[in-house]
């Protein structure tokens, strides 16, 4: 059974929530970042980019300590306050086309270790340890791991009831999103939520594999260093945003390759023909309609690629994934892309962008060929996790993406 508990969040005051909340640091262009730091003194970006105060780029442990200092300043200036009692937080995001709602809570590191919280992606040890060290120095986390759970009528009904009331926060952003947050602190509702999660045998990580792994490492290290460890310390949990499976939005990641690995166009097509039935679509923007079908753009033409299933052996859930098929039969053997994470010959465009973006990038000479496919389903992701397998990197782009700084979890 999953242990999902309330916590005492550190949060911006109601009047400053919209100014504090920020997108992930890497989402900002240089100009946007400069404008936010220059004209918005309440932006959470000031905490995670502490060198701006000194007009100096700072890295490593020195940066970690300055991040902590900026955070403490926000608390001292009462931009941030902490809730007096442990609460769950219902969070809703409304965009021009979609609506997401879920629960911000603390998930158990023990559940992660026991594989009650299942993962489907490999992590890189260096990144795990770097973020673990960061968490240890700063003493807080503000980027929740995205977890998904089976649809629950109990939780849905409680959300509907709570969301009829006035939210703690309501603010809009420049990209025309509206964000809402409600506190749930009443014992009856808290126990109802806790009990409902306890009835669920398994949860799945949708996004945030490195964050959860780093939290696990920090918990293990803190436990070993604490002779009075009880299991109830804050380091035994990590902040999560839990959303039901039907509310997740899963996009594909399309692939762009810079060259054909020394092959001519004709040689490349001939090698593809071993595994795929190929049809030229000319300038028609072809979108796959079924699994194991791919879009390809090469030398001014779109192509459809259909996997020759009589030649291909499906052995497990991983071998059935289109991202795996493309890697094993095209990227690795033909184009010599061995490392999907670090090879600078490959780039990724998530499926929120139109396939025309692939055409534009190839036509401009930035890349030689592009591939598109259908997004994975939640059932495919769960099967891979249930079998203890890991998907190729950049197999999914999953929404929602939360703003940083609305709820902070302290260790």
């Amino acid at each position: 059974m999953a242990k999902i508990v309330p916590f005492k969040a550190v949060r911006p005051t109601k009047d400053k929530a919209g100014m504090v909340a920020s997108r992930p640091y890497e989402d900002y262009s240089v100009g946007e970042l400069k404008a936010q730091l220059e004209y918005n003194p309440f932006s959470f970006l000031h905490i995670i980019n502490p060198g701006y105060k000194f007009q100096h780029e700072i890295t490593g442990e020195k940066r970690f300590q300055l991040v902590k200092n900026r955070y403490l300043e926000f608390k001292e200036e009462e931009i941030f306050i902490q809730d007096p009692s442990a609460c769950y937080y219902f969070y809703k995001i409304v965009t021009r086309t979609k609506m997401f709602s879920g629960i911000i809570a603390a998930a158990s590191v023990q559940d992660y270790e026991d594989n009650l919280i299942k993962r489907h992606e490999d992590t890189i040890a260096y990144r795990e340890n770097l973020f673990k060290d960061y968490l240890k120095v700063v003493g807080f986390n503000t980027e929740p791991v995205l977890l998904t759970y089976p649809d629950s009528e109990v939780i849905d009904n409680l959300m509907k009831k709570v969301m009829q009331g006035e939210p703690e926060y309501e603010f809009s952003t420049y990209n025309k999103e509206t964000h809402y947050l409600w506190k749930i602190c009443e014992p009856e509702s808290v126990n109802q939520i806790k009990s409902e999660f306890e009835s669920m045998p398994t949860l799945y990580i949708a996004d945030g594999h490195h964050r959860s792994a780093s939290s696990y490492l920090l918990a293990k290290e803190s436990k070993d260093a604490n002779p009075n460890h009880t299991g109830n310390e804050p380091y035994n949990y990590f902040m999560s945003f839990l959303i039901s499976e039907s509310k997740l939005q899963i996009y594909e990641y399309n692939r762009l390759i810079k060259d054909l690995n020394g092959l001519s166009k004709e040689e490349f097509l001939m090698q593809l023909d071993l595994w795929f039935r190929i049809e030229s679509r000319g300038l028609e923007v072809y979108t796959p309609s079924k699994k194991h079908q791919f879009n390809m753009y090469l030398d001014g033409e779109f192509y459809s690629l259909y996997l020759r299933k009589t030649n291909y052996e499906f052995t497990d859930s991983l071998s059935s994934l289109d991202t795996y098929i493309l890697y094993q039969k095209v990227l690795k053997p033909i184009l010599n892309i061995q490392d999907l994470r670090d090879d600078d010959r490959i780039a990724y465009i998530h499926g929120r962008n139109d396939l025309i973006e692939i055409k534009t990038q190839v036509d401009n000479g930035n890349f030689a060929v592009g591939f598109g496919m259908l997004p994975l389903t939640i059932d495919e992701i769960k099967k891979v996790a249930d079998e203890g397998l890991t998907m190729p990197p950049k197999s999914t782009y999953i929404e929602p993406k939360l703003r940083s700084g609305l709820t902070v979890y302290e260790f």
Side-chain angles (χ1 to χ4, degrees):
M1 61 182 190
K3 192 173 183 181
I4 302 297
V5 301
F7 69 101
K8 298 177 183 179
V10 176
R11 303 183 292 110
T13 55
K14 191 170 185 176
D15 62 317
K16 296 182 179 65
M19 292 182 286
V20 169
S22 70
R23 306 197 309 270
Y25 184 80
E26 60 274 9
D27 280 5
Y28 290 87
S29 67
V30 174
E32 283 181 301
L33 185 61
K34 183 179 179 182
Q36 281 289 317
L37 292 170
E38 196 164 330
Y39 298 111
N40 181 4
F42 303 111
S43 173
F44 192 76
L45 292 169
H46 284 283
I47 293 177
I48 58 178
N49 187 39
Y52 177 79
K53 183 175 182 178
F54 306 104
Q55 299 299 307
H56 187 70
E57 189 73 26
I58 302 170
T59 59
E61 191 165 334
K62 185 182 292 184
R63 173 180 171 268
F64 300 166
Q65 186 59 54
L66 289 178
V67 167
K68 182 177 182 177
N69 291 348
R70 295 292 86 73
Y71 173 68
L72 292 175
E73 288 172 8
F74 269 49
K75 291 183 71 175
E76 291 163 2
E77 294 170 5
E78 296 187 344
I79 300 168
F80 277 149
I81 56 172
Q82 185 168 32
D83 286 321
S85 59
C87 305
Y88 291 107
Y89 303 88
F90 286 173
Y91 185 36
K92 182 170 75 170
I93 306 170
V94 179
T95 73
R96 284 171 287 190
T97 57
K98 294 183 286 291
M99 188 275 283
F100 301 103
S101 58
I103 303 172
I104 299 174
S108 167
V109 167
Q110 189 64 50
D111 285 352
Y112 176 87
E113 183 176 9
D114 294 341
N115 206 33
L116 299 179
I117 296 176
K118 294 191 175 184
R119 46 260 192 206
H120 60 261
E121 284 186 7
D122 275 332
T123 52
I124 300 171
Y126 168 76
R127 288 182 59 192
E128 288 180 16
N129 282 288
L130 180 66
F131 193 58
K132 181 263 294 182
D133 293 341
Y134 169 83
L135 294 175
K136 185 177 180 180
V137 173
V138 302
F140 69 88
N141 188 14
T142 187
E143 295 184 14
V145 174
L146 185 63
L147 300 179
T148 189
Y149 61 88
D151 285 22
S152 164
E153 189 175 348
V154 171
I155 292 177
D156 284 347
N157 288 339
L158 183 58
M159 275 192 179
K160 288 176 185 176
K161 180 181 176 182
V162 170
M163 289 181 179
Q164 289 174 359
E166 183 179 352
E168 186 76 10
Y169 298 148
E170 178 180 354
F171 62 89
S172 295
T173 59
Y174 293 118
N175 57 350
K176 297 185 178 179
E177 291 180 351
T178 305
H179 297 253
Y180 306 84
L181 184 136
W182 291 261
K183 284 198 312 180
I184 299 87
C185 308
E186 304 78 14
E188 183 180 351
S189 297
V190 165
N191 290 332
Q192 191 177 11
I193 296 169
K194 188 183 297 183
S195 176
E196 184 66 6
F197 280 115
E198 287 176 349
S199 71
M200 299 176 185
T202 306
L203 303 176
Y204 294 84
I205 298 175
D207 189 28
H209 285 77
H210 281 91
R211 277 167 275 157
S212 51
S214 299
S215 296
Y216 166 71
L217 291 177
L218 177 64
K220 189 176 179 182
E221 188 175 293
S222 301
K223 176 182 176 181
D224 292 342
N226 183 3
N228 300 313
H229 173 83
T230 65
N232 296 318
E233 296 86 355
Y235 60 70
N236 292 290
Y237 297 88
F238 57 92
M239 187 167 65
S240 301
F241 181 62
L242 298 107
I243 185 170
S244 62
E245 292 173 4
S246 64
K247 293 176 184 175
L248 277 180
Q249 179 70 60
I250 305 172
Y251 296 94
E252 71 279 14
Y253 260 114
N254 298 318
R255 274 75 167 132
L256 286 162
I257 314 299
K258 288 188 176 179
D259 58 69
L260 298 182
N261 192 31
L263 300 172
S264 67
K265 173 184 174 181
E266 291 72 22
E267 290 170 333
F268 177 58
L269 290 172
M270 286 175 64
Q271 291 203 33
L272 284 179
D273 194 74
L274 293 173
W275 294 102
F276 301 91
R277 179 163 59 89
I278 306 170
E279 293 183 16
S280 174
R281 302 281 178 159
L283 293 178
E284 174 195 351
V285 182
Y286 167 73
T287 302
S289 59
K290 296 179 182 178
K291 293 293 181 180
H292 315 322
Q293 297 179 359
F294 302 84
N295 164 293
M296 182 176 74
Y297 186 73
L298 172 69
D299 193 30
E301 290 184 82
F302 283 100
Y303 294 83
S304 56
L305 307 180
Y306 303 132
L307 179 68
R308 297 186 188 276
K309 297 179 183 178
T310 54
N311 292 354
Y312 185 83
E313 183 180 4
F314 297 98
T315 57
D316 52 29
S317 59
L318 181 62
S319 67
S320 298
L321 299 184
D322 287 345
T323 52
Y324 182 85
I325 293 169
L326 188 67
Y327 175 61
Q328 290 293 334
K329 299 305 177 187
V330 181
L331 302 183
K332 185 178 179 180
I334 301 177
L335 296 175
N336 194 31
I337 302 291
Q338 304 294 324
D339 188 340
L340 292 174
R341 293 185 187 276
D342 294 327
D343 196 317
D344 60 9
R345 293 171 56 230
I346 187 169
Y348 303 91
I349 300 178
H350 57 67
R352 285 187 60 186
N353 291 340
D354 196 280
L355 287 172
I356 292 297
E357 179 65 18
I358 292 179
K359 178 181 185 302
T360 301
Q361 291 288 341
V362 174
D363 287 347
N364 287 345
N366 298 323
F367 296 90
V369 62
F371 298 94
M373 65 203 87
L374 290 176
L376 302 186
T377 66
I378 185 60
D379 286 337
E380 288 178 304
I381 294 171
K382 288 169 62 178
K383 284 179 182 177
V384 169
D386 289 342
E387 293 178 22
L389 303 171
T390 54
M391 302 188 308
K394 299 291 186 182
S395 285
T396 57
Y397 179 87
I398 298 179
E399 288 185 334
K401 303 293 185 187
L402 273 63
R403 297 249 156 178
S404 296
L406 285 181
T407 57
V408 180
Y409 182 80
E410 291 189 340
F411 305 110

